[in-house]
Amino acid sequence: MEINLDKLPKDPELLQELILGLVEKLKGQDDLIAKLKHQLGLLRRGRFGKSSERFDEEQGRLDFFADKEIPTPPKRKKRPKKKQAGHGRRKPQNEVPETVIAVPVPEDRMICKHCNVRLTAMGVEVTRQIDYIPPKLNYLCFEREVCSCPKCHGTVEVADIPHQPIKKGMPGPGLLAHIITSKYMDHIPLQRLKRIFRRSNFKINASTMCGWIAAVVSLLKPIHDAMLASILTSMVISTDATGIQVKNGNKKGQRKSYFWAYLGDEDNPHVMFDFTETHSRAGPKNFLKNYCGYLQADAHPVYDGLFTEASEGKKLIEVGCMAHCRRRFFNSQDTDRERAEDALKFISALYDIEECARDVSHEERKSIRESLAEPIIESFHEWLQINQTRVLPKSPIGEAIDYASKNWGALTRYLEDGRLKIDNNHTERALRGVVIGRKNYMFAGSEGGARNAAFLYSFVESCKRNDIDPYEYLRDILIRIDTHPASKIDQLLPANWKALVEETGLAKLPYEDYLQ
C-alpha cells in the first residue's frame, strides 16, 4: 500500500498522536490474532487431538512458595497388572452355554490296518469352536383349552390369557426389553432395528415400536417415581446437561432442546434424566424443588439463581468441578505455558491425593484431605491472587484464573465431607450414552419421544451404574410389575433388584415350562 507523505501532518504533536493511535490499533489486532489462534488450536485439538488432559508429572513440583511447607502427596498406587493370557485358544467362559456334540469315528475306519481287528473306544479328544447363532423372532401361539360341563353345558372354563405386558398387545416382555436395550443401550435407531427384524422375516414398523415404547413408559412410571424419590434423599446430587435436536412439530427444521442428568450419591446409586425445551433455570429448579443438600455442577450461570434463591433457607449448597477448572488452564498452555503449567501442577497434586484416598472410608478420606490437600489449596489460592493482577483479564490464562477465583468456594467445598467428589466427571460419563446415541438417531421425532427417551435412559444408565444387564432387568420387571405389591415397589429399583433376584430368582412366565 502506497502512502502519500504530502498528506501526513507536519506538526510533531499530531504525528505522535497518529503513531500512538496506530500502535494501539496494531496492539488490538495482535490480541485478536492471538485469541483467534487460541480458538483455532482448541478446535483443531477437539477435532484431531487427544481428549485426555493428563499432565506430565515428570515436570516436578512447584517452587513458588519455598518458604512454606507444602506436604508431598503420596504417590499413586500402582494397580496390579493383569496376568497376560498365554498363547493358544482361550477357555470357554462359564456364562456362555456349551453344546456337546459327539463325533464318532466313521465305520469304514473302525478296522485296524495292521491286524484287521475292530477298534475299541479309549477316550475322546476335545476340540472347541465358537459359533454365532443369530437371534430369531418367534410367534408364540397359545391354544387355550376350553372345557364345558358334558351334562348341562352350563359351565364353560377357558384357560387364562398368558401374561401380556401391554394389554391386548402382541409384544412379549423379551421383545420389549430387546427393543429398549437396542435403542437406548446399543444406540440402534428404530428404523435400523426395523431392517434387522426384517432379516428374520418379521416386519415391525418403527411407528409400532414407538407405540410400544410409550406403553412401557406408562407401565414403569411407579418405578420411575420411586427412583426419583430415592435420588432426592441423597446427601449430594450431581448434574449436567447436553443438547438434543427435536423435530419442530409440523414445521420444518428442528430445535435444540436438552437432556439433564441427575446422579444420586453412593447410598442412592440411580441416574435420572429430565427433558426440557430450553437450557433455562426452570428445568433444574423444577426437578430439585423438593431437594435439600449438596448440588455438584459446573459453574454455568443457569445454576447461579438456584444457589442464590436457596441461600436464605440453605437448601442447596454448591459443589464445583475441579476438572472444569483444570480444562481451562490446560487449554491456555499455548498462550502462557509457564503460568498454565504452574496451575496444573497444583491441580495434579490434588488429584494425586484423591487417587490415594480412593479406597478408604469417608472419614479417612476427609482426614487425608485436611492434612495433605488443604495446604496445597491455600498455596494455590495465593498463587491465583498474585497472578490475577499480572495477566490480561480477557486472555485465556486470565479467564482461567478468573474462573478459579470466582468459584473458589465451590471448587474447594469437597474438603467438607469425604463423600463429596473433587469433580463432576462421573455425571459426564452418564451423559456419554446420550451423546453416542444422538449421533446415530440424529434427532427426536417429537417432544413426547424425547421425554420417553429421557425416561428410559434413566433405567438403562441406572442399570449400568449398578452393573446390571438392562435386558435382563427390563424383561424381569415387565413380568413382575403387574403382580408386585405397590408397598414393595422399592424392591424393583435397579439398586435393589439384584437382592430380589437372589431371593426369588428371575421371574418366569407361566408358559415357560411348556416350551420345548
Side-chain angles (χ1 to χ4, degrees):
M1 182 178 66
E2 295 184 1
I3 300 176
N4 189 349
L5 298 177
D6 296 333
K7 293 184 178 181
L8 290 175
K10 306 300 183 182
D11 188 347
E13 293 183 357
L14 293 176
L15 283 173
Q16 288 179 355
E17 291 180 4
L18 179 61
I19 292 172
L20 290 173
L22 290 174
V23 169
E24 289 296 326
K25 185 177 180 180
L26 290 174
K27 185 179 179 182
Q29 290 179 347
D30 288 342
D31 292 342
L32 177 61
I33 290 171
K35 183 177 181 180
L36 293 175
K37 282 184 175 180
H38 174 67
Q39 292 177 350
L40 179 61
L42 294 181
L43 291 173
R44 289 176 63 86
R45 177 175 170 267
R47 180 66 178 85
F48 304 109
K50 296 180 179 179
S51 59
S52 173
E53 298 173 2
R54 186 174 294 277
F55 182 65
D56 186 4
E57 299 178 0
E58 299 299 326
Q59 297 187 35
R61 300 181 68 236
L62 287 166
D63 55 357
F64 280 100
F65 305 103
D67 57 326
K68 296 188 177 182
E69 294 184 3
I70 302 177
T72 303
K75 293 184 178 180
R76 294 181 179 178
K77 298 177 182 178
K78 291 185 178 180
R79 298 180 182 177
K81 293 183 179 180
K82 294 182 179 179
K83 187 177 179 181
Q84 294 183 352
H87 297 287
R89 296 180 179 178
R90 296 181 180 179
K91 295 181 179 180
Q93 300 178 10
N94 295 331
E95 295 82 2
V96 179
E98 184 177 62
T99 302
V100 179
I101 302 174
V103 183
V105 176
E107 189 63 31
D108 57 352
R109 292 166 51 190
M110 288 294 292
I111 303 299
C112 179
K113 298 178 181 179
H114 304 285
C115 55
N116 292 330
V117 176
R118 186 174 179 81
L119 304 180
T120 59
M122 57 178 291
V124 294
E125 182 176 323
V126 179
T127 302
R128 288 186 169 90
Q129 184 182 76
I130 302 174
D131 199 6
Y132 175 74
I133 302 174
K136 296 293 184 181
L137 289 168
N138 294 309
Y139 266 121
L140 297 179
C141 181
F142 299 97
E143 296 181 348
R144 298 160 57 205
E145 186 178 19
V146 180
C147 299
S148 64
C149 177
K151 185 175 181 180
C152 67
H153 303 289
T155 300
V156 178
E157 291 289 344
V158 183
D160 293 334
I161 298 175
H163 176 79
Q164 294 177 299
I166 300 176
K167 300 302 181 184
K168 299 183 180 179
M170 293 188 66
L175 177 58
L176 293 173
H178 174 69
I179 291 173
I180 294 171
T181 304
S182 298
K183 180 171 174 59
Y184 301 107
M185 174 76 173
D186 301 326
H187 321 297
I188 302 176
L190 294 182
Q191 287 290 349
R192 197 178 303 168
L193 195 59
K194 169 186 172 182
R195 294 194 293 270
I196 294 173
F197 286 147
R198 187 168 290 179
R199 292 204 299 267
S200 297
N201 298 319
F202 203 93
K203 183 178 179 181
I204 306 178
N205 291 326
S207 58
T208 301
M209 288 187 276
C210 282
W212 291 348
I213 288 174
V216 171
V217 167
S218 298
L219 195 63
L220 299 182
K221 191 174 185 308
I223 305 176
H224 187 269
D225 293 342
M227 285 173 55
L228 173 59
S230 169
I231 285 181
L232 293 179
T233 62
S234 300
M235 183 208 73
V236 55
I237 291 180
S238 306
T239 182
D240 203 351
T242 189
I244 181 175
Q245 296 294 327
V246 179
K247 196 171 181 181
N248 198 10
N250 295 326
K251 300 178 181 179
K252 292 184 179 180
Q254 303 161 12
R255 67 180 186 275
K256 188 174 182 180
S257 300
Y258 291 86
F259 280 149
W260 302 74
Y262 298 92
L263 274 68
D265 56 18
E266 295 179 1
D267 295 328
N268 303 278
H270 295 111
V271 183
M272 291 289 291
F273 283 83
D274 188 31
F275 169 80
T276 61
E277 297 183 20
T278 64
H279 196 249
S280 68
R281 184 177 57 186
K285 181 179 180 180
N286 181 63
F287 188 92
L288 300 167
K289 60 185 177 182
N290 296 322
Y291 175 66
C292 178
Y294 290 98
L295 179 65
Q296 185 163 33
D298 56 33
H300 196 282
V302 72
Y303 299 109
D304 292 344
L306 297 179
F307 300 116
T308 303
E309 293 174 1
S311 60
E312 297 180 1
K314 298 182 180 179
K315 289 181 62 179
L316 293 180
I317 305 172
E318 183 179 9
V319 183
C321 175
M322 191 64 74
H324 279 77
C325 179
R326 178 180 60 189
R327 190 171 304 148
R328 291 173 180 267
F329 285 108
F330 187 87
N331 292 337
S332 64
Q333 289 183 93
D334 57 344
T335 59
D336 194 333
R337 178 168 292 275
E338 184 178 354
R339 286 190 176 91
E341 288 184 352
D342 290 341
L344 290 173
K345 289 173 185 177
F346 278 119
I347 298 173
S348 178
L350 295 176
Y351 271 90
D352 285 338
I353 296 170
E354 291 303 301
E355 182 71 18
C356 297
R358 174 183 294 180
D359 300 323
V360 300
S361 66
H362 303 318
E363 293 76 14
E364 290 176 309
R365 186 177 299 116
K366 184 176 185 294
S367 177
I368 292 173
R369 288 171 175 174
E370 288 176 349
S371 60
L372 297 179
E374 282 190 3
I376 296 175
I377 284 176
E378 290 175 2
S379 297
F380 187 20
H381 193 208
E382 187 173 341
W383 180 90
L384 291 171
Q385 292 175 327
I386 292 173
N387 286 275
Q388 193 166 21
T389 59
R390 298 179 180 178
V391 298
L392 295 174
K394 296 297 182 182
S395 64
I397 189 66
E399 291 179 347
I401 292 175
D402 184 65
Y403 175 90
S405 299
K406 285 184 176 179
N407 298 284
W408 189 250
L411 289 172
T412 58
R413 185 151 287 124
Y414 77 98
L415 299 174
E416 294 181 5
D417 196 299
R419 291 169 291 183
L420 299 177
K421 298 182 183 296
I422 191 173
D423 58 38
N424 202 28
N425 286 348
H426 52 295
T427 310
E428 293 188 1
R429 287 192 293 270
L431 285 169
R432 190 172 297 168
V434 176
V435 175
I436 296 173
R438 73 186 179 200
K439 289 182 179 180
N440 288 334
Y441 52 71
M442 304 299 290
F443 59 88
S446 65
E447 181 183 329
R451 293 188 185 280
N452 289 342
F455 184 101
L456 292 171
Y457 271 127
S458 301
F459 283 91
V460 170
E461 290 298 328
S462 294
C463 286
K464 289 166 63 176
R465 186 176 178 186
N466 289 278
D467 196 23
I468 294 172
D469 180 359
Y471 171 81
E472 285 192 358
Y473 170 80
L474 289 169
R475 184 182 183 276
D476 184 86
I477 293 301
L478 289 172
I479 296 173
R480 294 179 187 267
I481 188 67
D482 278 346
T483 58
H484 195 82
S487 59
K488 298 181 180 180
I489 197 69
D490 286 349
Q491 292 180 338
L492 302 184
L493 298 181
N496 304 329
W497 178 74
K498 276 187 177 180
L500 177 64
V501 171
E502 289 176 0
E503 180 183 345
T504 64
L506 288 171
K508 293 178 63 176
L509 294 170
Y511 54 79
E512 285 189 41
D513 294 333
Y514 299 98
L515 296 178
Q516 298 296 325

